[in-house]
Amino acid sequence: MRDRRQQTTGKRRDLLAQLSGPLRAFTRTEAGSAGMLLAASAVALAWANSPWSASYEALWETHASVRAGAAELDLDLRHWVNDGLMGLFFFVIGLEVRREFSLGELTDRRRAVLPVVAALGGMAVPAVLYLALNPSGAAAGGWGVVIGTDTAFLLGTLALVGPEFSTQLRLFLLTLTVIDDIVAVSVIGVVYSDSLRVPPLLAAGCCLLVLAVLSRRGAWRASVYVVVVCALWLATEESGLHASIAGMAAGLLVAARAPRRQEVEGAASLFRAFRQSPMPGVGASAKAGLARAISVNERLQTALHPWTGFVVVPLFALANAGIDLRGGVLTDALTSPVTWGVVLGLSAGKPAGIAAGALGGARLGLGRLPQGVGPGQVLGGAALSGIGFTVSLLIVQLAFEDRALRDEATVGVLLAAVVSTLTGWVAFRLAAVLRGERTADLPRVLDRPVRTGTDHVRGPADAPLTLVEYGDFECPFCAKATGVARELRERFGDDLRYVFRHLPLPDVHPRAEAAARAAESAAAQDRFWEMHDLLFRHQDELEYEDLAGYAAELGLDVERFLRDLDDERTAARIRADVAGAEASGARGTPTFFVGDRRHTGPHDTESLAAALGSLRTTASG
């Protein structure tokens, strides 16, 4: 019984670790947003079908205006939500898309091929199925309703009905919905916008140009971007384009970048100065230094994502999901080709198109499914992608002027969300039972156990605690981690052995592999750790001549060092570490393993010390 409790506790701890840091915050927002979206939809439906239904329509038809001199913008509340707040929603999506292209899954274009093919299939097939039931007339204009996926609802539902660990599947679906969002917003802008007015359109173009220049020049004050985006929204609203396309375009133009080492060091120095002299001016400088170190894109996402998830999306559902189903409306909807075109497109067309694109593309060699994700889980994720909700309801409002068609399409969107959720749940259960696909995550266990004669180890070989790091000599965060490892060894003493393994990332750090070879060439003369420390101290000087100089500085046989540097056995040793990293789920640097379990979350001294302490407690228990 005690072993079972310990296993359960371990699983819970693993789950918390998996969702730690930014991923946990992002997932928590998406799951919470999906719950509030569902609650707001239920409230809207109940209100619209209650004795107070007239007050529901009266509320959203209430006009509110903004006036500055002779200029005035007057919209009813529903349009303020659909055109105003949803512009903010799509701005945040644009920021996320830009970040994915700059720092996320879409940086590796080869890895993006399969999600792109799947996304295109997941939009084409639903549109064809919808048009097969509604080939002409006003109903045919609703084909755009079935092309979108609600990212928040999708990820929230995945957390409820998907595998216990689904990080890799979540990333695959996020990449897919990035393409989905770009196409859906383009369709809204091109197909469902009003007649265009040229002067405001030119003003919107100038605003986009200003954003591009600000981003290219590295302007770091978020307030400047916010002012330009507000001006862009006003110009777009006046031009006749839907605000969603302005929001998406603006978000795509705000650059995302990894923190630069110099800026991080500068921010740390400013905070040390504030700690020594806690005065308002010094504090303001420290705050500004921190802001410079983090890209505007990520700061805006952090600030706006909770607002769009917990306020904008639920308000949108409250304004658009309220259909009065009385008086035969539900009966008419259930016999309408519009309703069933939407249900068929989202619940059948989306899964079919995505599954065909992903699995068919993998079979044709266009790409590979993410590590740890099986075909059955792809089918489950594809089924959940039929939850169109936010984007679909927005297009319903734009596509149909006839109230009856609008109600029928809305009923279809709501039914499709229910059917897609149930289908996804069944698909995940069958994948687990029939195919053994119980997780959709990277491996979490060290593939190759530590071997004293092969691995590079600091500390006693028989120490009860082990910390393994996969590192890259050109990675600035790995350089910081050397200090963390030193502090941990001082704290745990002979109870800890620290192991370094190579994971050079040549696409990001072109000199990292040569540096790894230099460390192994020094290891052949029993000087690995001296070279390890020297390489991290001189990360910006890792050319061939520099490496030879470091060998001479350490008193090595330089001729032998240079021979070993080009020896195939040295390269094979590094390849073995890289293969072990891949098999262990290490995709970036630094990646730590506490004992034989991959550590996910912050890798500062206190976080790793807590993980090592938990390992010691578990081992002694």
PDB file of all heavy atoms in Angstrom, residues 435-459:
ATOM      1  N   ARG A 435      -3.551   0.443 -28.553  1.00  0.00           N
ATOM      2  CA  ARG A 435      -2.212   0.695 -29.070  1.00  0.00           C
ATOM      3  C   ARG A 435      -1.194   0.999 -27.968  1.00  0.00           C
ATOM      4  O   ARG A 435      -0.017   1.194 -28.244  1.00  0.00           O
ATOM      5  CB  ARG A 435      -2.227   1.853 -30.074  1.00  0.00           C
ATOM      6  CG  ARG A 435      -3.129   1.622 -31.287  1.00  0.00           C
ATOM      7  CD  ARG A 435      -3.015   2.798 -32.260  1.00  0.00           C
ATOM      8  NE  ARG A 435      -1.636   2.988 -32.685  1.00  0.00           N
ATOM      9  CZ  ARG A 435      -1.069   2.366 -33.721  1.00  0.00           C
ATOM     10  NH1 ARG A 435      -1.783   1.498 -34.440  1.00  0.00           N
ATOM     11  NH2 ARG A 435       0.184   2.598 -34.046  1.00  0.00           N
ATOM     12  N   GLY A 436      -1.650   1.057 -26.723  1.00  0.00           N
ATOM     13  CA  GLY A 436      -0.737   1.347 -25.619  1.00  0.00           C
ATOM     14  C   GLY A 436      -0.207   2.765 -25.612  1.00  0.00           C
ATOM     15  O   GLY A 436       0.822   3.048 -24.986  1.00  0.00           O
ATOM     16  N   GLU A 437      -0.910   3.689 -26.276  1.00  0.00           N
ATOM     17  CA  GLU A 437      -0.470   5.092 -26.339  1.00  0.00           C
ATOM     18  C   GLU A 437      -1.045   5.835 -25.133  1.00  0.00           C
ATOM     19  O   GLU A 437      -2.080   6.485 -25.217  1.00  0.00           O
ATOM     20  CB  GLU A 437      -0.935   5.731 -27.650  1.00  0.00           C
ATOM     21  CG  GLU A 437      -0.333   5.071 -28.881  1.00  0.00           C
ATOM     22  CD  GLU A 437      -0.912   5.615 -30.179  1.00  0.00           C
ATOM     23  OE1 GLU A 437      -1.705   6.587 -30.131  1.00  0.00           O
ATOM     24  OE2 GLU A 437      -0.585   5.069 -31.249  1.00  0.00           O
ATOM     25  N   ARG A 438      -0.346   5.748 -24.019  1.00  0.00           N
ATOM     26  CA  ARG A 438      -0.880   6.310 -22.765  1.00  0.00           C
ATOM     27  C   ARG A 438      -0.295   7.681 -22.433  1.00  0.00           C
ATOM     28  O   ARG A 438      -0.826   8.388 -21.591  1.00  0.00           O
ATOM     29  CB  ARG A 438      -0.622   5.331 -21.616  1.00  0.00           C
ATOM     30  CG  ARG A 438      -1.240   3.965 -21.883  1.00  0.00           C
ATOM     31  CD  ARG A 438      -1.117   3.020 -20.716  1.00  0.00           C
ATOM     32  NE  ARG A 438      -1.612   1.698 -21.091  1.00  0.00           N
ATOM     33  CZ  ARG A 438      -2.876   1.351 -21.137  1.00  0.00           C
ATOM     34  NH1 ARG A 438      -3.805   2.231 -20.821  1.00  0.00           N
ATOM     35  NH2 ARG A 438      -3.250   0.133 -21.497  1.00  0.00           N
ATOM     36  N   THR A 439       0.807   8.047 -23.046  1.00  0.00           N
ATOM     37  CA  THR A 439       1.368   9.382 -22.865  1.00  0.00           C
ATOM     38  C   THR A 439       1.709   9.942 -24.243  1.00  0.00           C
ATOM     39  O   THR A 439       1.912   9.195 -25.201  1.00  0.00           O
ATOM     40  CB  THR A 439       2.639   9.372 -22.003  1.00  0.00           C
ATOM     41  OG1 THR A 439       3.671   8.658 -22.688  1.00  0.00           O
ATOM     42  CG2 THR A 439       2.370   8.728 -20.654  1.00  0.00           C
ATOM     43  N   ALA A 440       1.769  11.265 -24.322  1.00  0.00           N
ATOM     44  CA  ALA A 440       2.156  11.933 -25.567  1.00  0.00           C
ATOM     45  C   ALA A 440       3.231  12.962 -25.225  1.00  0.00           C
ATOM     46  O   ALA A 440       3.104  14.146 -25.512  1.00  0.00           O
ATOM     47  CB  ALA A 440       0.944  12.590 -26.221  1.00  0.00           C
ATOM     48  N   ASP A 441       4.281  12.468 -24.594  1.00  0.00           N
ATOM     49  CA  ASP A 441       5.318  13.358 -24.096  1.00  0.00           C
ATOM     50  C   ASP A 441       6.678  12.794 -24.480  1.00  0.00           C
ATOM     51  O   ASP A 441       6.811  11.628 -24.873  1.00  0.00           O
ATOM     52  CB  ASP A 441       5.209  13.464 -22.564  1.00  0.00           C
ATOM     53  CG  ASP A 441       6.047  14.586 -21.999  1.00  0.00           C
ATOM     54  OD1 ASP A 441       6.520  15.425 -22.782  1.00  0.00           O
ATOM     55  OD2 ASP A 441       6.237  14.620 -20.774  1.00  0.00           O
ATOM     56  N   LEU A 442       7.686  13.633 -24.381  1.00  0.00           N
ATOM     57  CA  LEU A 442       9.058  13.160 -24.560  1.00  0.00           C
ATOM     58  C   LEU A 442       9.402  12.167 -23.457  1.00  0.00           C
ATOM     59  O   LEU A 442       8.810  12.203 -22.372  1.00  0.00           O
ATOM     60  CB  LEU A 442      10.023  14.337 -24.487  1.00  0.00           C
ATOM     61  CG  LEU A 442       9.974  15.335 -25.657  1.00  0.00           C
ATOM     62  CD1 LEU A 442      10.806  16.561 -25.315  1.00  0.00           C
ATOM     63  CD2 LEU A 442      10.486  14.697 -26.931  1.00  0.00           C
ATOM     64  N   PRO A 443      10.372  11.267 -23.719  1.00  0.00           N
ATOM     65  CA  PRO A 443      10.820  10.368 -22.644  1.00  0.00           C
ATOM     66  C   PRO A 443      11.236  11.169 -21.421  1.00  0.00           C
ATOM     67  O   PRO A 443      11.749  12.280 -21.528  1.00  0.00           O
ATOM     68  CB  PRO A 443      12.021   9.643 -23.273  1.00  0.00           C
ATOM     69  CG  PRO A 443      11.776   9.713 -24.744  1.00  0.00           C
ATOM     70  CD  PRO A 443      11.082  11.020 -24.977  1.00  0.00           C
ATOM     71  N   ARG A 444      11.019  10.611 -20.255  1.00  0.00           N
ATOM     72  CA  ARG A 444      11.283  11.330 -19.010  1.00  0.00           C
ATOM     73  C   ARG A 444      12.357  10.635 -18.167  1.00  0.00           C
ATOM     74  O   ARG A 444      12.663  11.077 -17.064  1.00  0.00           O
ATOM     75  CB  ARG A 444       9.984  11.435 -18.202  1.00  0.00           C
ATOM     76  CG  ARG A 444       8.878  12.135 -18.956  1.00  0.00           C
ATOM     77  CD  ARG A 444       7.568  12.129 -18.180  1.00  0.00           C
ATOM     78  NE  ARG A 444       7.692  12.795 -16.908  1.00  0.00           N
ATOM     79  CZ  ARG A 444       7.674  14.119 -16.742  1.00  0.00           C
ATOM     80  NH1 ARG A 444       7.560  14.907 -17.788  1.00  0.00           N
ATOM     81  NH2 ARG A 444       7.770  14.649 -15.548  1.00  0.00           N
ATOM     82  N   VAL A 445      12.895   9.513 -18.674  1.00  0.00           N
ATOM     83  CA  VAL A 445      13.877   8.723 -17.921  1.00  0.00           C
ATOM     84  C   VAL A 445      15.193   8.721 -18.680  1.00  0.00           C
ATOM     85  O   VAL A 445      15.221   8.616 -19.913  1.00  0.00           O
ATOM     86  CB  VAL A 445      13.371   7.283 -17.699  1.00  0.00           C
ATOM     87  CG1 VAL A 445      14.409   6.462 -16.946  1.00  0.00           C
ATOM     88  CG2 VAL A 445      12.044   7.290 -16.960  1.00  0.00           C
ATOM     89  N   LEU A 446      16.304   8.840 -17.958  1.00  0.00           N
ATOM     90  CA  LEU A 446      17.632   8.826 -18.555  1.00  0.00           C
ATOM     91  C   LEU A 446      17.833   7.514 -19.303  1.00  0.00           C
ATOM     92  O   LEU A 446      17.713   6.423 -18.738  1.00  0.00           O
ATOM     93  CB  LEU A 446      18.687   8.980 -17.458  1.00  0.00           C
ATOM     94  CG  LEU A 446      20.110   9.299 -17.895  1.00  0.00           C
ATOM     95  CD1 LEU A 446      20.176  10.664 -18.574  1.00  0.00           C
ATOM     96  CD2 LEU A 446      21.047   9.253 -16.693  1.00  0.00           C
ATOM     97  N   ASP A 447      18.142   7.623 -20.598  1.00  0.00           N
ATOM     98  CA  ASP A 447      18.229   6.423 -21.438  1.00  0.00           C
ATOM     99  C   ASP A 447      19.446   5.572 -21.089  1.00  0.00           C
ATOM    100  O   ASP A 447      19.370   4.350 -21.068  1.00  0.00           O
ATOM    101  CB  ASP A 447      18.280   6.853 -22.911  1.00  0.00           C
ATOM    102  CG  ASP A 447      18.475   5.678 -23.845  1.00  0.00           C
ATOM    103  OD1 ASP A 447      17.542   4.852 -23.948  1.00  0.00           O
ATOM    104  OD2 ASP A 447      19.557   5.566 -24.459  1.00  0.00           O
ATOM    105  N   ARG A 448      20.560   6.201 -20.847  1.00  0.00           N
ATOM    106  CA  ARG A 448      21.799   5.470 -20.589  1.00  0.00           C
ATOM    107  C   ARG A 448      22.256   5.759 -19.174  1.00  0.00           C
ATOM    108  O   ARG A 448      22.505   6.914 -18.824  1.00  0.00           O
ATOM    109  CB  ARG A 448      22.875   5.911 -21.590  1.00  0.00           C
ATOM    110  CG  ARG A 448      24.117   5.039 -21.606  1.00  0.00           C
ATOM    111  CD  ARG A 448      25.146   5.599 -22.574  1.00  0.00           C
ATOM    112  NE  ARG A 448      25.841   6.764 -22.043  1.00  0.00           N
ATOM    113  CZ  ARG A 448      26.159   7.842 -22.745  1.00  0.00           C
ATOM    114  NH1 ARG A 448      25.807   7.929 -24.003  1.00  0.00           N
ATOM    115  NH2 ARG A 448      26.816   8.848 -22.184  1.00  0.00           N
ATOM    116  N   PRO A 449      22.362   4.762 -18.325  1.00  0.00           N
ATOM    117  CA  PRO A 449      22.798   5.015 -16.942  1.00  0.00           C
ATOM    118  C   PRO A 449      24.220   5.557 -16.909  1.00  0.00           C
ATOM    119  O   PRO A 449      25.008   5.378 -17.832  1.00  0.00           O
ATOM    120  CB  PRO A 449      22.715   3.625 -16.286  1.00  0.00           C
ATOM    121  CG  PRO A 449      22.777   2.659 -17.417  1.00  0.00           C
ATOM    122  CD  PRO A 449      22.126   3.321 -18.584  1.00  0.00           C
ATOM    123  N   VAL A 450      24.539   6.247 -15.827  1.00  0.00           N
ATOM    124  CA  VAL A 450      25.871   6.835 -15.666  1.00  0.00           C
ATOM    125  C   VAL A 450      26.905   5.730 -15.499  1.00  0.00           C
ATOM    126  O   VAL A 450      26.730   4.816 -14.695  1.00  0.00           O
ATOM    127  CB  VAL A 450      25.892   7.784 -14.452  1.00  0.00           C
ATOM    128  CG1 VAL A 450      27.306   8.305 -14.199  1.00  0.00           C
ATOM    129  CG2 VAL A 450      24.922   8.941 -14.672  1.00  0.00           C
ATOM    130  N   ARG A 451      27.985   5.842 -16.280  1.00  0.00           N
ATOM    131  CA  ARG A 451      29.090   4.878 -16.181  1.00  0.00           C
ATOM    132  C   ARG A 451      30.359   5.658 -15.842  1.00  0.00           C
ATOM    133  O   ARG A 451      30.763   6.549 -16.593  1.00  0.00           O
ATOM    134  CB  ARG A 451      29.276   4.119 -17.495  1.00  0.00           C
ATOM    135  CG  ARG A 451      28.067   3.280 -17.896  1.00  0.00           C
ATOM    136  CD  ARG A 451      28.404   2.400 -19.094  1.00  0.00           C
ATOM    137  NE  ARG A 451      27.279   1.607 -19.518  1.00  0.00           N
ATOM    138  CZ  ARG A 451      26.406   1.964 -20.464  1.00  0.00           C
ATOM    139  NH1 ARG A 451      26.552   3.126 -21.075  1.00  0.00           N
ATOM    140  NH2 ARG A 451      25.413   1.174 -20.811  1.00  0.00           N
ATOM    141  N   THR A 452      30.968   5.287 -14.741  1.00  0.00           N
ATOM    142  CA  THR A 452      32.124   6.044 -14.241  1.00  0.00           C
ATOM    143  C   THR A 452      33.266   6.051 -15.254  1.00  0.00           C
ATOM    144  O   THR A 452      33.932   7.071 -15.455  1.00  0.00           O
ATOM    145  CB  THR A 452      32.607   5.449 -12.910  1.00  0.00           C
ATOM    146  OG1 THR A 452      31.510   5.439 -11.992  1.00  0.00           O
ATOM    147  CG2 THR A 452      33.736   6.279 -12.325  1.00  0.00           C
ATOM    148  N   GLY A 453      33.494   4.959 -15.925  1.00  0.00           N
ATOM    149  CA  GLY A 453      34.616   4.900 -16.856  1.00  0.00           C
ATOM    150  C   GLY A 453      34.369   5.622 -18.159  1.00  0.00           C
ATOM    151  O   GLY A 453      35.318   5.939 -18.883  1.00  0.00           O
ATOM    152  N   THR A 454      33.119   5.895 -18.466  1.00  0.00           N
ATOM    153  CA  THR A 454      32.774   6.525 -19.741  1.00  0.00           C
ATOM    154  C   THR A 454      32.355   7.974 -19.572  1.00  0.00           C
ATOM    155  O   THR A 454      32.787   8.850 -20.324  1.00  0.00           O
ATOM    156  CB  THR A 454      31.627   5.739 -20.420  1.00  0.00           C
ATOM    157  OG1 THR A 454      32.004   4.377 -20.551  1.00  0.00           O
ATOM    158  CG2 THR A 454      31.312   6.320 -21.785  1.00  0.00           C
ATOM    159  N   ASP A 455      31.511   8.227 -18.585  1.00  0.00           N
ATOM    160  CA  ASP A 455      30.997   9.575 -18.369  1.00  0.00           C
ATOM    161  C   ASP A 455      32.022  10.451 -17.666  1.00  0.00           C
ATOM    162  O   ASP A 455      32.943   9.956 -17.000  1.00  0.00           O
ATOM    163  CB  ASP A 455      29.716   9.522 -17.522  1.00  0.00           C
ATOM    164  CG  ASP A 455      28.499   9.184 -18.355  1.00  0.00           C
ATOM    165  OD1 ASP A 455      28.240   9.905 -19.334  1.00  0.00           O
ATOM    166  OD2 ASP A 455      27.806   8.198 -18.027  1.00  0.00           O
ATOM    167  N   HIS A 456      31.832  11.753 -17.791  1.00  0.00           N
ATOM    168  CA  HIS A 456      32.668  12.725 -17.091  1.00  0.00           C
ATOM    169  C   HIS A 456      31.966  13.076 -15.776  1.00  0.00           C
ATOM    170  O   HIS A 456      30.883  13.658 -15.778  1.00  0.00           O
ATOM    171  CB  HIS A 456      32.857  13.974 -17.949  1.00  0.00           C
ATOM    172  CG  HIS A 456      33.433  13.668 -19.295  1.00  0.00           C
ATOM    173  ND1 HIS A 456      34.695  13.128 -19.457  1.00  0.00           N
ATOM    174  CD2 HIS A 456      32.910  13.783 -20.544  1.00  0.00           C
ATOM    175  CE1 HIS A 456      34.940  12.953 -20.744  1.00  0.00           C
ATOM    176  NE2 HIS A 456      33.871  13.348 -21.431  1.00  0.00           N
ATOM    177  N   VAL A 457      32.592  12.693 -14.659  1.00  0.00           N
ATOM    178  CA  VAL A 457      31.943  12.767 -13.350  1.00  0.00           C
ATOM    179  C   VAL A 457      32.785  13.608 -12.400  1.00  0.00           C
ATOM    180  O   VAL A 457      34.010  13.426 -12.308  1.00  0.00           O
ATOM    181  CB  VAL A 457      31.751  11.353 -12.746  1.00  0.00           C
ATOM    182  CG1 VAL A 457      31.067  11.440 -11.388  1.00  0.00           C
ATOM    183  CG2 VAL A 457      30.962  10.471 -13.700  1.00  0.00           C
ATOM    184  N   ARG A 458      32.106  14.521 -11.708  1.00  0.00           N
ATOM    185  CA  ARG A 458      32.723  15.248 -10.598  1.00  0.00           C
ATOM    186  C   ARG A 458      32.045  14.799  -9.314  1.00  0.00           C
ATOM    187  O   ARG A 458      30.825  14.885  -9.195  1.00  0.00           O
ATOM    188  CB  ARG A 458      32.537  16.760 -10.783  1.00  0.00           C
ATOM    189  CG  ARG A 458      33.711  17.445 -11.456  1.00  0.00           C
ATOM    190  CD  ARG A 458      33.474  18.934 -11.620  1.00  0.00           C
ATOM    191  NE  ARG A 458      34.701  19.618 -12.008  1.00  0.00           N
ATOM    192  CZ  ARG A 458      34.750  20.839 -12.528  1.00  0.00           C
ATOM    193  NH1 ARG A 458      33.623  21.529 -12.704  1.00  0.00           N
ATOM    194  NH2 ARG A 458      35.909  21.391 -12.860  1.00  0.00           N
ATOM    195  N   GLY A 459      32.822  14.325  -8.364  1.00  0.00           N
ATOM    196  CA  GLY A 459      32.269  13.823  -7.122  1.00  0.00           C
ATOM    197  C   GLY A 459      32.512  12.337  -6.990  1.00  0.00           C
ATOM    198  O   GLY A 459      32.942  11.662  -7.936  1.00  0.00           O
TER     199      GLY A 459
END
